[in-house]
Amino acid sequence: MVGFLVSWVTTVTAITISLFAVSARSFPPRNYFAVSPRAFPTRVCATTAPAQDALDVNTTSLQVGGRPFGMVYLSESIAFATIERSVAVLDVSNFTPKIKTTVPLPPDVVIGTNDPDSAGYEFHGIALTHDKRNLYVVTGYGAVVMDVPKTIAGRNDSIAGLLSRNGYAGSNAVQISITPDDKFVFISQEFGSNATLNRGAIEVYNVTRLENGTVVGGYKGFVALGYATVGQAFSKDYKKLFVTSEVSRSARNKNETEGAVSVLDVETLKTTPGKAYLYEIRGGCHPVRCKLANDGKTLWVTVREANQLLAFDAEKLAKNVTTDVVVANVKTGTSPVGVAVVGQYILTADSNRFGYSNTTTGATVVDSLAALRGKTSRWPQIRTGRFPREFALSPDGNTMLVAEYDAQKIRAVDVSSLNARMDV
Ligand SMILES: *[C@@H]1O[C@H](CO)[C@@H](O)[C@H](O)[C@H]1NC(C)=O
Ligand SMILES: *[C@@H]1O[C@H](CO)[C@@H](O)[C@H](O)[C@H]1NC(C)=O
Ligand SMILES: *[C@@H]1O[C@H](CO)[C@@H](O)[C@H](O)[C@H]1NC(C)=O
Ligand SMILES: *[C@@H]1O[C@H](CO)[C@@H](O)[C@H](O)[C@H]1NC(C)=O
Ligand SMILES: *[C@@H]1O[C@H](CO)[C@@H](O)[C@H](O)[C@H]1NC(C)=O
Ligand SMILES: *[C@@H]1O[C@H](CO)[C@@H](O)[C@H](O)[C@H]1NC(C)=O
Ligand SMILES: *[C@@H]1O[C@H](CO)[C@@H](O)[C@H](O)[C@H]1NC(C)=O
Ligand SMILES: *[C@@H]1O[C@H](CO)[C@@H](O)[C@H](O)[C@H]1NC(C)=O
């Protein structure tokens, strides 16, 4: 299934396995992100970013009573957010969001660990199918598939299906991509398992919705990538999947700092995932999330341990051209995680997730055109609460939601002044 692993076993990884085999399931503990000394990454390339001017835009926030993670808009009036182990339905028809209803994971559903201190316990990223009938909620062994109308109604039978291989390729599923025909899903397993030699992996399911609404998944396998594999984005033509790993696949151990963007062939992923890996391109010091610009020409990658936003030429990435593939290297706030595109602007979620002193949290606002012309620094920041993690942009492009993980708030930001500019 994963051809390269066979040769790895006999070469360098015998040592790696003994050092790291126990780590995937047991860390990070629940609140380690903000308060405890970290176990990973072991080395960073920067701590506190230089001070940034505050950008004056209107924001408003909602206390959500737990740590929010992923968010997605269904329409101009409804959005979904994951909050710990539940899905919140948000009424976003006014600027300040309201929680309309919350659907918790029933206690008898097994989709990963039942240990609240374990990384795979919470709900992470979410995505809607293109027909908007199902919401995929990523967690633990895979994903919980929700029926959208039932979830909005807050029903206790909202779960339409589960995608799980019982932790075979990992127990900390974190992000998902859905093919345009809604027939395949690609799930990032951040830390992998012993089957992936503790590299992160992309797991693949083909999915079918039965007439009664039940969603069934067929497990297609996985492809192992670098350590701590999280971010995913399709190329504009959907033929390639770009995936970020904090430490590259070619690294000998996870103390190395150089991460990578892996390029996967989507058609091969659908049939034989273990053969879908094409190549990886150096991605800076711990890249974590990525997003394609609206014109499809640039892949924007947050590089958390360097306080950077890297722009890759997406056409070169897709063709394995490494010369001048990085077309901009921009300074952000501290420990950027989430990344969003608003017209010609790129926003990074400057998380300060490791709690460095004397710095701000917020969203750095980068004018992509100026960045691609060479402006690298002095970008302003929209201030937020603690640990901004992920973003969701409203369909009209005028409101950005920010999940403030440690502040336990969802903030709405009026980005209409940014959205009014060009659509790059
Ligand atoms: C805190 O940050 C500000 C702005 O970057 C800087 O001027 C100041 O010296 C810093 N203070 C400490 C104690 O590091
Ligand atoms: C914030 O909202 C108020 C009230 O709608 C408006 O008057 C003001 O111009 C807005 N400020 C910004 C920076 O958009
Ligand atoms: C689910 O909701 C229905 C209708 O409100 C209720 O009758 C039923 O007892 C609930 N089931 C569980 C398992 O909570
Ligand atoms: C992974 O570990 C589990 C439990 O220790 C074991 O049952 C399984 O066979 C191992 N899988 C591989 C591929 O080594
Ligand atoms: C939906 O249909 C499938 C296949 O016939 C069946 O196994 C399943 O129990 C049904 N689910 C519900 C909720 O009716
Ligand atoms: C997945 O694909 C296989 C063929 O490769 C097919 O037999 C199976 O029914 C599909 N499963 C689902 C749930 O779509
Ligand atoms: C990785 O770093 C940790 C913490 O600094 C250290 O304990 C460990 O020995 C290192 N492992 C390798 C393989 O260098
Ligand atoms: C990608 O480029 C590298 C360096 O030129 C080459 O070694 C490798 O075979 C290429 N891979 C693919 C899949 O084209």
Side-chain angles (χ1 to χ4, degrees):
M1 188 178 283
V2 272
F4 92 99
L5 290 174
V6 178
S7 57
W8 272 83
V9 171
T10 53
T11 56
V12 294
T13 42
I15 304 164
T16 315
I17 292 168
S18 62
L19 283 171
F20 297 118
V22 294
S23 62
R25 270 157 228 242
S26 56
F27 80 80
R30 196 172 199 195
N31 280 321
Y32 119 107
F33 303 110
V35 293
S36 348
R38 61 178 171 268
F40 182 75
T42 54
R43 285 165 180 71
V44 300
C45 305
T47 56
T48 306
Q52 294 169 279
D53 292 337
L55 189 67
D56 182 24
V57 294
N58 281 325
T59 83
T60 172
S61 69
L62 169 72
Q63 194 77 47
V64 292
R67 296 180 300 274
F69 197 112
M71 299 170 303
V72 65
Y73 276 83
L74 175 71
S75 64
E76 294 296 351
S77 55
I78 298 286
F80 299 104
T82 52
I83 299 171
E84 300 194 1
R85 233 186 191 190
S86 67
V87 173
V89 181
L90 303 175
D91 175 348
V92 285
S93 39
N94 296 309
F95 184 46
T96 304
K98 284 196 291 273
I99 293 183
K100 192 172 139 66
T101 186
T102 299
V103 179
L105 187 72
D108 59 331
V109 175
V110 178
I111 185 74
T113 172
N114 265 322
D115 172 6
D117 290 332
S118 168
Y121 180 81
E122 292 184 346
F123 286 172
H124 293 137
I126 52 178
L128 281 166
T129 53
H130 298 81
D131 69 9
K132 297 188 172 184
R133 285 184 53 194
N134 290 114
L135 178 71
Y136 282 75
V137 179
V138 185
T139 183
Y141 298 152
V144 181
V145 190
M146 315 282 292
D147 178 283
V148 164
K150 288 181 182 172
T151 304
I152 293 171
R155 283 169 56 160
N156 60 19
D157 61 350
S158 294
I159 294 180
L162 295 179
L163 302 182
S164 166
R165 194 68 197 288
N166 298 321
Y168 172 55
S171 0
N172 193 46
V174 60
Q175 299 281 305
I176 190 167
S177 298
I178 305 176
T179 55
D181 60 6
D182 293 332
K183 288 189 165 29
F184 287 85
V185 302
F186 307 132
I187 295 176
S188 313
Q189 271 296 355
E190 183 167 8
F191 302 120
S193 66
N194 55 355
T196 73
L197 301 180
N198 298 305
R199 269 109 177 118
I202 297 293
E203 288 193 288
V204 181
Y205 293 86
N206 59 333
V207 289
T208 299
R209 185 170 49 230
L210 307 178
E211 271 178 32
N212 64 8
T214 295
V215 174
V216 289
Y219 191 67
K220 291 292 185 181
F222 68 84
V223 55
L225 301 172
Y227 291 108
T229 294
V230 179
Q232 302 184 23
F234 283 112
S235 60
K236 192 176 190 204
D237 61 8
Y238 291 92
K239 290 183 176 164
K240 300 279 176 10
L241 187 71
F242 304 128
V243 184
T244 59
S245 295
E246 288 191 43
V247 179
S248 75
R249 189 178 195 254
S250 55
R252 296 173 71 95
N253 66 65
K254 66 181 183 184
N255 288 356
E256 291 186 18
T257 54
E258 185 74 27
V261 177
S262 293
V263 181
L264 308 182
D265 181 71
V266 170
E267 279 310 307
T268 312
L269 264 183
K270 292 177 180 177
T271 54
T272 44
K275 296 184 175 159
Y277 171 82
L278 296 172
Y279 42 82
E280 65 178 4
I281 306 250
R282 291 165 66 95
C285 188
H286 292 267
V288 289
R289 296 282 197 286
C290 58
K291 184 96 182 167
L292 199 66
N294 291 332
D295 67 5
K297 291 186 179 154
T298 311
L299 183 75
W300 295 90
V301 177
T302 46
V303 184
R304 196 186 62 210
E305 301 317 327
N307 303 333
Q308 284 173 344
L309 173 69
L310 288 183
F312 289 81
D313 179 324
E315 285 157 16
K316 287 187 174 178
L317 258 189
K319 290 187 192 140
N320 196 14
V321 177
T322 51
T323 314
D324 299 328
V325 65
V326 174
V327 288
N329 181 343
V330 170
K331 292 187 167 65
T332 66
T334 300
S335 308
V337 176
V339 56
V341 173
V342 185
Q344 78 184 55
Y345 292 88
I346 314 301
L347 274 59
T348 62
D350 306 331
S351 70
N352 190 29
R353 65 174 294 176
F354 301 116
Y356 302 130
S357 55
N358 199 25
T359 188
T360 52
T361 51
T364 294
V365 178
V366 176
D367 177 343
S368 65
L369 297 181
L372 293 169
R373 283 194 305 262
K375 178 174 154 60
T376 58
S377 59
R378 301 204 60 81
W379 298 105
Q381 187 188 54
I382 299 166
R383 304 286 196 238
T384 69
R386 284 184 301 139
F387 197 170
R389 196 161 200 169
E390 297 213 335
F391 294 119
L393 184 66
S394 64
D396 68 8
N398 289 330
T399 305
M400 180 70 82
L401 298 180
V402 185
E404 298 178 352
Y405 186 79
D406 280 352
Q408 305 194 1
K409 286 180 181 171
I410 291 176
R411 183 170 302 272
V413 181
D414 178 355
V415 291
S416 54
S417 60
L418 305 178
N419 184 38
R421 309 295 180 83
M422 274 177 61
D423 200 35
V424 173

